[in-house]
Amino acid sequence: MNILMVEDNHSVCEMMEMFFKKEQWQVTFAYDGLQAEDKFKNDSQKWDIILLDLNLPKKDGMQVAADIRRISPTVPLIMLTARDTESDQVLGLEIGADDYVTKPFSPITLIARIKALYRRSALSAHDDVNKQSSSFDVETKHFKMNTKTREVYLYDQPITDLTPKEFDLLKTLASKPRQVFTRSQLLQLVWDYEYYGDERTVDAHIKKLRQKLEKVGPQVIQTVWGVGYKFDDEGQAQ
């Protein structure tokens, strides 16, 4: 795994480098926002995971995250933040981060988060081309998805800018149309580990996913108040 870690605290970088070496992962460090963007733009296809601190010199981490997402909607991105306010965390998720870890963090916890995100996104993105199929394995009235080629169509229009977590969230909902999922269920199914009740992560991703889907037609992700969310395109017309 190739990791780009953007962190201005050299002590944190040195500590994490030891853990990455133990996992036999390759890591490149950037110590400010401008350096991070340069390293990413030089080879945007190289990185399997981006670890991005929000409090950076020269360019704020939120701006860096937005710029990264403009270049690559799909590269897995974990925010590292000392900001513990709900608005900062939700804003980061809405910009396109797949996950966030609040400082001070346990290196073991961060490693677990990286493995979970990689398991759900990078491995599927690197499926052998010979195993890919042109058929769609998730289909409803107005929706179809190929989970191997990661092609998504809604109302016969392609949805091409989904982040890994948005893709997995949409797959989970669309695979069981009209079934209501609680936020806790979605955390377990999509994020692959316990979030200890931090359900605003789901809400932030749903909001961003809805914004992308409604560009092509009527909204298919519905809120079931007091319970959670469901996918339903049966009553929609295009």
Side-chain angles (χ1 to χ4, degrees):
M1 193 188 306
N2 280 307
I3 298 172
L4 175 60
M5 184 168 187
V6 188
E7 167 62 65
D8 64 326
N9 188 320
H10 288 250
S11 297
V12 171
C13 293
E14 291 172 2
M15 173 185 68
M16 289 310 307
E17 186 173 20
M18 293 187 295
F19 283 86
F20 293 148
K21 284 183 177 179
K22 185 177 179 181
E23 298 290 337
Q24 298 184 320
W25 296 343
Q26 301 296 315
V27 61
T28 298
F29 294 104
Y31 302 103
D32 62 61
L34 293 179
Q35 190 180 78
E37 288 195 346
D38 286 342
K39 290 182 180 296
F40 183 76
K41 289 176 181 177
N42 283 342
D43 191 357
S44 61
Q45 301 300 313
K46 174 181 179 180
W47 312 108
D48 297 305
I49 296 279
I50 308 295
L51 306 177
L52 176 63
D53 186 24
L54 291 189
N55 295 310
L56 293 170
K58 297 187 180 180
K59 192 167 188 176
D60 183 76
M62 291 285 191
Q63 294 177 296
V64 175
D67 291 342
I68 286 175
R69 275 290 170 249
R70 278 192 284 271
I71 298 170
S72 173
T74 60
V75 62
L77 174 61
I78 298 178
M79 296 186 307
L80 309 175
T81 175
R83 304 174 186 178
D84 57 1
T85 65
E86 180 176 343
S87 59
D88 281 330
Q89 293 164 351
V90 171
L91 178 59
L93 293 170
E94 288 183 353
I95 287 174
D98 297 293
D99 194 1
Y100 69 86
V101 177
T102 304
K103 293 180 176 179
F105 57 80
S106 160
I108 294 174
T109 297
L110 180 57
I111 293 294
R113 297 284 183 95
I114 292 171
K115 287 180 177 179
L117 181 55
Y118 187 72
R119 201 160 49 234
R120 298 298 299 243
S121 57
L123 287 179
S124 60
H126 289 89
D127 277 343
D128 186 84
V129 66
N130 293 325
K131 296 180 181 180
Q132 293 183 353
S133 168
S134 60
S135 63
F136 294 95
D137 44 341
V138 179
E139 283 194 75
T140 63
K141 185 176 182 180
H142 298 293
F143 176 85
K144 53 188 178 181
M145 169 185 282
N146 185 316
T147 57
K148 291 214 169 28
T149 63
R150 302 183 76 82
E151 294 174 276
V152 178
Y153 291 86
L154 180 62
Y155 304 116
D156 294 322
Q157 299 296 313
I159 309 296
T160 59
D161 58 346
L162 298 177
T163 68
K165 275 291 173 287
E166 289 165 356
F167 183 94
D168 291 341
L169 181 57
L170 182 56
K171 174 191 172 186
T172 300
L173 291 168
S175 294
K176 296 185 177 180
R178 304 181 70 184
Q179 175 175 321
V180 180
F181 291 87
T182 67
R183 292 170 176 83
S184 296
Q185 287 175 322
L186 290 172
L187 286 172
Q188 293 173 13
L189 292 169
V190 177
W191 277 261
D192 203 26
Y193 56 83
E194 296 289 347
Y195 249 81
Y196 305 104
D198 199 352
E199 296 178 350
R200 60 199 169 183
T201 298
V202 175
D203 294 335
H205 278 79
I206 288 286
K207 179 179 178 181
K208 195 70 174 179
L209 180 57
R210 279 173 165 166
Q211 290 172 349
K212 295 179 179 181
L213 297 180
E214 65 188 11
K215 292 178 181 179
V216 301
Q219 188 56 250
V220 294
I221 297 179
Q222 301 178 8
T223 300
V224 180
W225 296 107
V227 184
Y229 299 99
K230 68 177 181 178
F231 180 99
D232 186 1
D233 63 348
E234 281 298 314
Q236 304 290 2
Q238 177 65 10

